[in-house]
Amino acid sequence: MSSVAVPAKPSFLRELFAGDINESLLFPYPATLDARDPDEARTVQRLVDAVNAMVASGLIDPTRFDEQESIDEAVVQAFAKAGLLALTIPKTYGGLGLSASAYARVFGAVASIDASLGVLIGVHCGLGSKAIVIAGNDVQKARYLPGLARGETLAAYALTEPETGSDAQHIVTRAERSADNTGWVVNGRKHWIGNGQRAGVIATFAQTPVQRNGETVMRPTAFLVRPDMPGFRVDGTIRKLGIRASTQAELVFENLFVPDDHVLGEVGKGFRVAVNALNAGRLSLASGCTSACKKLLGEFTRYAEARTQFGDRLASFEITQRKMATMASETYAADAMVGALAAALDTDHVDASLEAACIKVFASELVWRCSDELVQLAGGRGFVKPWPYERYLRDARINRIFEGANEILRLFVGLNGIQGPAEALKEIAGALKNPIQNWVLVSSFAADRVASAFGKRERFQMTLHPLLKTHATYVEKHVAELAKATQQAVTTHKKEILQRQLVVERLADMAIELYARATTISRTQTLIEERGADACVREIALTELFCVQSGRRFRALRVELDSDAGEQIDALRRSIAQRVRAEHGYASSDALLDVAVPPLPSWSLTRDEQARAVEPTR
C-alpha cells in the first residue's frame, strides 16, 4: 500500500508533475454563464450596465481619481445602491450570492475601467467579506454581512506585514490569551491594507499558541477586528506608483483585545482561511488583468490605425502586427484559464490552489507586457499626460505583487507540484532494497518511466478536432517531459531542492505553459463543437499561435533543466550575485572613465522594523 498522502480533491496541475493529464477536470470546457444560469447572467449584465452608466454620466472618472488620489464617496454609495458591494455575500444575508464565474466577470468589467475601483471591489468583496463567508460562524455572518452588503461600511483583509509580506505561515503578529481568558491580546503591524483606513470590519491574522503532539507551537489564526476596538490604530496611508485612487493603510495592533467570538474559524487554522480567500482573490485579479488586456489591445489597435509614420499607418508594419497577434493570442489563453478556474471554484470538487496561482502569474505578467507595448507604440504620447497610456502602465505594475508576488507563487506551484513525485520516489527507493518482494511496485514504476521517456502512453482519451490534435499531442509529450524533469530534479537535488529556486522556478513555468495550453485547447474544442470549425477561424488561429509560442518557451525551459549548461549558468549567476553582494552593487571599471560614484542615499529600516527583523519566524 502506498504511504503517500493523496489530496482530498484532485488537481489538474498537481497531476501534471506526475505525468498525468486528468482531462475530466478540463474537458469539456465549461459552458458560458448565460447557458448555465440565465438569471445570474442577467444580474451580471445589470451590474455591468450600471458601471457603464456611471462612466457615461461622469461619476466614474479614472483620470480625476488618479489626480486626486481617492475615489469619490458618491461612487462608493452608487456602488452600494447598485449591489456592487454585495457580490460575494449570500442572499440569506442580503447579498447577491454570485458564483465565482459571475463575480469574476463583474470584477473584470470594473477593473478594466479603473484599476483602483477594482481594488476597492476586490478587497471588500473578494477578500474581506469572502473570508467571513468562508470561515465565519452563523453569528458572525448575521452580525457583519448584511451591513457589508448594503455598503454601510467596507471590509478589509489584513494579512501583509513589513517583515514577511503575504506569507501567511510565517507572519510575526502574535496573539496571546487575555488574563481573564475571554479573548486574545494581539500585537503586530500590518501594511498596505486596502480599505484599511475606512473599513468597519477587518479580517486579519496572528500567530497563536496551539498544542500539537504534546508541544506548544505557534500557528496562524484568523480574527475579525474593528477600528473601535481599543488598541487598534491606523498609522497613516501611503502614496503609490499606480492604483493611486485606492487607499492602502498601515495598521498597528497594540495590545488589541479581540474577544473569543471574533475568532474567524478555528484557532490555529488561519492558514486555511487565508489560502481559501486568496484563491478567490487570485481569480478576480486574473479576471481584471485579462479584461484590461482586451481593453489595451483595443487601445493599441485604435492608435496603430490612426497614427501615420513614414508614409503609412503603424498598423501596417509587420512589427506592430506581431505585437498585435501576440497580445491577442495570449489574451485568448488568459481568458480560457479564467473561465476554467472560475468553473472549478464554482463546483468545489477540485483543489484549484495551484491553478489559481498559475493564472494569477500568467495574467498579471501579460497585462504588464500589453500596457508596456501600448506605451511603446504611442511613443512620447505614451509617456506623458493627458494621454492615459502612462496611467495604464502604472496601474498594471502592482498586479505582479498583489495576492502574492509572482516569484513566490512560482515557488508555491513548483514545490507543491514536486511533492507527490518526491514522495513516490521515496517509496520506490525503499522498495528497491527488496525488489523481489516489491516486484509489482517496482515493475509498474519502471514501465511508467519507460512510457514517459518515450512518450508512448496515451494521455488524452477524448477525440479532438484535427486542427487541435497536433497541439494536444505536443501537450502530451511535454507533460511527460515535465514529469521526467521533476523526477530528475528530486533525485539530483534531494532535500536541497528547497534551495534550488531556479530549478523550481523553471518547473513551475513549464507547468504554467501546459495549463495555459490545455485550457486554450479545451475552450476552442468546445467552441468548434458548438459552432463548427468554419465559425471558429479566429479562435483556431489564436489557439495555434499561442500553442506554438508556448511550446517554444517550454522547450527552452526544458533544455536548461536537462543539460549541464543550465547548471553551469545557474552556478555562474550565483557566483556573480555573491560578488555583487560583497561589493554592494556594481564595482567593475567604467568603460569611458572611472570616476567616483556618489554614495547611495541613506536608508534603513525603522527602529520597530529592525526589532521585528531579528525576531525568528515560526
Side-chain angles (χ1 to χ4, degrees):
M1 292 292 292
S2 171
S3 61
V4 178
V6 179
K9 298 178 182 178
S11 165
F12 180 84
L13 203 78
R14 195 186 305 273
E15 294 179 33
L16 292 183
F17 284 89
D20 295 324
I21 298 177
N22 191 340
E23 64 184 52
S24 65
L25 300 181
L26 282 189
F27 293 83
Y29 191 81
T32 55
L33 189 59
D34 54 348
R36 282 185 282 156
D37 191 336
D39 290 338
E40 188 174 52
R42 284 190 288 271
T43 298
V44 169
Q45 188 60 58
R46 176 184 66 77
L47 294 167
V48 173
D49 289 344
V51 175
N52 290 335
M54 294 180 205
V55 175
S57 69
L59 181 62
I60 291 178
D61 184 348
T63 301
R64 185 178 76 249
F65 295 166
D66 185 69
E67 291 293 331
Q68 69 191 23
E69 298 190 17
S70 65
I71 296 169
D72 298 337
E73 184 62 29
V75 175
V76 178
Q77 295 305 314
F79 271 26
K81 184 177 181 181
L84 287 159
L85 300 182
L87 303 177
T88 58
I89 296 173
K91 295 179 180 178
T92 305
Y93 301 102
L96 296 179
L98 295 187
S99 65
S101 300
Y103 171 63
R105 183 65 184 87
V106 175
F107 180 90
V110 173
S112 66
I113 291 170
D114 182 65
S116 294
L117 289 176
V119 174
L120 174 74
I121 293 288
V123 172
H124 175 81
C125 295
L127 291 175
S129 298
K130 190 69 173 179
I132 301 175
V133 172
I134 291 172
N137 57 41
D138 291 342
V139 174
Q140 291 167 339
K141 291 177 180 179
R143 180 172 186 175
Y144 288 113
L145 291 180
L148 293 174
R150 292 190 295 268
E152 294 172 359
T153 187
L154 293 177
Y157 182 87
L159 171 64
T160 307
E161 297 183 348
E163 304 83 7
T164 59
S166 298
D167 183 355
Q169 289 275 38
H170 298 109
I171 53 176
V172 299
T173 296
R174 297 171 66 93
E176 303 285 349
R177 291 298 294 170
S178 62
D180 60 4
N181 203 36
T182 62
W184 298 84
V185 178
V186 183
N187 283 280
R189 178 181 290 268
K190 305 289 181 176
H191 71 166
W192 304 331
I193 307 305
N195 300 344
Q197 89 294 353
R198 65 192 301 179
V201 59
I202 302 167
T204 194
F205 301 83
Q207 297 282 10
T208 54
V210 295
Q211 293 296 313
R212 293 287 188 273
N213 300 320
E215 296 183 2
T216 300
V217 296
M218 302 300 288
R219 293 290 184 269
T221 294
F223 297 93
L224 291 177
V225 302
R226 300 192 312 271
D228 60 352
M229 290 179 172
F232 178 94
R233 176 163 58 88
V234 176
D235 198 21
T237 57
I238 55 176
R239 303 189 68 186
K240 308 179 296 298
L241 171 71
I243 56 167
R244 290 179 175 173
S246 68
T247 306
Q248 277 67 42
E250 306 277 346
L251 305 182
V252 179
F253 307 145
E254 294 176 331
N255 294 323
L256 171 66
F257 176 73
V258 182
D260 281 331
D261 62 2
H262 277 61
V263 171
L264 190 58
E266 298 179 51
V267 173
K269 300 292 182 66
F271 181 74
R272 184 182 305 169
V273 178
V275 169
N276 287 336
L278 286 174
N279 283 343
R282 286 166 185 162
L283 167 64
S284 58
L285 186 144
S287 177
C289 290
T290 302
S291 296
C293 287
K294 297 174 184 178
K295 177 179 178 178
L296 290 168
L297 181 56
E299 293 269 26
F300 188 99
T301 305
R302 179 170 64 174
Y303 190 92
E305 293 289 2
R307 180 66 171 161
T308 300
Q309 286 286 104
F310 310 110
D312 211 343
R313 295 176 179 176
L314 290 179
S316 68
F317 299 139
E318 283 193 344
I319 292 176
T320 305
Q321 293 171 3
R322 168 177 58 80
K323 294 180 178 183
M324 282 181 177
T326 299
M327 290 166 65
S329 65
E330 293 183 349
T331 299
Y332 181 74
D335 200 36
M337 295 167 78
V338 167
L341 176 60
L345 293 179
D346 280 336
T347 61
D348 196 36
H349 296 324
V350 299
D351 173 10
S353 56
L354 298 189
E355 288 81 352
C358 282
I359 177 57
K360 187 273 179 181
V361 170
F362 186 94
S364 65
E365 295 186 352
L366 174 59
V367 75
W368 171 252
R369 291 194 299 272
C370 289
S371 56
D372 182 61
E373 291 291 12
L374 179 54
V375 168
Q376 184 70 17
L377 179 79
R381 292 175 178 84
F383 201 70
V384 300
K385 298 176 181 180
W387 286 275
Y389 312 128
E390 56 87 26
R391 174 168 56 81
Y392 295 158
L393 185 71
R394 287 190 287 107
D395 285 347
R397 184 59 185 86
I398 188 59
N399 293 300
R400 290 161 58 192
I401 301 171
F402 263 166
E403 310 290 3
N406 286 3
E407 292 79 6
I408 300 301
L409 291 183
R410 282 185 165 93
L411 298 181
F412 171 74
V413 170
L415 290 174
N416 276 276
I418 67 176
Q419 186 175 6
E423 291 294 331
L425 286 171
K426 272 197 257 182
E427 184 181 19
I428 291 298
L432 286 173
K433 295 177 182 178
N434 192 344
I436 302 301
Q437 182 178 344
N438 297 286
W439 174 248
V440 174
L441 179 63
V442 174
S443 60
S444 174
F445 178 77
D448 183 72
R449 287 293 297 269
V450 171
S452 296
F454 291 96
K456 292 181 179 178
R457 186 167 65 181
E458 185 64 26
R459 306 291 183 180
F460 287 109
Q461 301 300 318
M462 66 174 300
T463 301
L464 293 169
H465 191 277
L467 294 171
L468 302 177
K469 184 60 179 175
T470 299
H471 303 305
T473 300
Y474 272 106
V475 170
E476 295 168 355
K477 175 184 176 182
H478 289 168
V479 168
E481 291 182 359
L482 173 63
K484 181 180 178 182
T486 300
Q487 293 166 350
Q488 288 177 336
V490 172
T491 55
T492 299
H493 301 293
K494 301 180 176 64
K495 292 182 179 180
E496 291 300 313
I497 192 68
L498 295 174
Q499 281 70 49
R500 300 308 306 273
Q501 295 179 358
L502 297 178
V503 173
V504 175
E505 181 182 54
R506 292 188 188 106
L507 292 172
D509 281 334
M510 292 163 70
I512 292 171
E513 294 290 353
L514 287 170
Y515 181 59
R517 265 188 280 164
T519 53
T520 301
I521 291 170
S522 174
R523 183 186 182 193
T524 304
Q525 172 67 27
T526 294
L527 290 175
I528 291 174
E529 292 172 354
E530 292 175 350
R531 307 175 186 174
D534 291 342
C536 296
V537 174
R538 178 198 303 109
E539 289 79 9
I540 292 170
L542 291 170
T543 301
E544 181 168 8
L545 179 59
F546 178 76
C547 286
V548 169
Q549 294 183 328
S550 173
R552 291 174 178 173
R553 291 191 294 268
F554 183 96
R555 286 194 293 273
L557 292 163
R558 184 69 182 93
V559 167
E560 285 197 1
L561 277 175
D562 198 31
S563 65
D564 292 337
E567 178 59 33
Q568 291 169 0
I569 195 66
D570 286 351
L572 182 59
R573 287 170 175 145
R574 290 192 293 270
S575 174
I576 292 174
Q578 185 176 5
R579 183 173 294 277
V580 169
R581 293 177 65 187
E583 296 169 345
H584 304 290
Y586 187 83
S588 296
S589 59
D590 190 88
L592 295 177
L593 176 66
D594 264 338
V595 295
V597 178
L600 293 173
S602 60
W603 172 88
S604 65
L605 297 174
T606 66
R607 182 177 300 177
D608 182 61
E609 289 172 332
Q610 289 175 347
R612 287 175 171 271
V614 299
E615 181 179 326
T617 57
R618 292 174 171 84

